């Protein structure tokens, strides 16, 4: 049985997240286990923006998805490879729209004596709202006057 590790922010869930995780698990074969590392709030703030949904809720939602065997929070200490050492995956799946350099990640994995192979998922869900940022922008530009009376 192969362990596959995927990672991401997963701030506002959309079909692209599900497709990424399904395809990541497939990289390990029929009996693979998928471990998903959820970016900590502090990491998201430092690298992207303030997350809309907190890290614990994001982890809980990802854990509920069918392909996921275990969802865990990433490390806050700055060493992003520490979690790789803890999970010890056979494959690290990089999402189709993630801006990671597979070769540099593989070099660091090899330098640490870990067995993981880095592979990019190539299937992408192309839709009008295919990213959390696009969803946030649409919400910001939508006029909800008198339509949110029952929302608290």
């Amino acid at each position: 049985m192969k362990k596959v590790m995927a990672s991401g922010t997963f701030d506002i869930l959309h079909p692209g997240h599900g497709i990424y995780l399904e395809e990541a698990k497939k990289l390990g074969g029929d009996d693979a286990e998928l471990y998903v590392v959820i970016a900590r709030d502090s990491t998201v703030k430092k690298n992207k923006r303030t997350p809309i949904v907190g890290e614990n809720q994001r982890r809980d939602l990802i854990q509920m998805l069918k392909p996921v065997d275990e969802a865990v929070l990433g490390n806050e200490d700055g060493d992003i490879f520490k979690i790789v050492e803890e999970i010890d995956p056979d494959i690290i799946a990089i999402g189709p729209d993630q801006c990671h350099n597979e070769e540099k990640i593989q070099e660091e994995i090899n330098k640490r004596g870990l067995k993981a192979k880095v592979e990019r998922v190539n299937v992408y869900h192309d839709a009008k709202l295919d990213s959390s940022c696009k969803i946030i922008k649409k919400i910001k530009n939508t006029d909800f006057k008198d339509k949110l009376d029952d929302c608290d």
Side-chain angles (χ1 to χ4, degrees), residues 50-129:
T50 300
I52 303 298
V53 179
E55 61 190 24
N56 291 317
Q57 184 174 336
R58 290 185 283 120
R59 181 204 53 224
D60 292 347
L61 284 169
I62 293 299
Q63 183 64 61
M64 293 176 193
L65 299 180
K66 185 177 178 179
V68 178
D69 293 289
E70 187 170 346
V72 298
L73 293 174
N75 293 320
E76 288 186 295
D77 65 4
D79 182 357
I80 61 170
F81 292 95
K82 187 175 179 183
I83 195 81
V84 178
E85 292 172 351
E86 292 170 12
I87 294 173
D88 192 28
D90 297 289
I91 299 168
I92 296 175
I94 307 296
D97 63 344
Q98 291 179 332
C99 302
H100 300 301
N101 183 318
E102 295 106 304
E103 291 80 22
K104 286 188 177 186
I105 295 170
Q106 190 66 64
E107 284 176 21
E108 186 63 28
I109 295 292
N110 295 345
K111 189 169 27 171
R112 292 176 181 239
L114 301 169
K115 67 183 178 203
K117 298 295 178 217
V118 179
E119 297 185 36
R120 186 169 290 275
V121 169
N122 292 312
V123 177
Y124 188 78
H125 180 74
D126 189 20
K128 189 174 182 179
L129 296 175

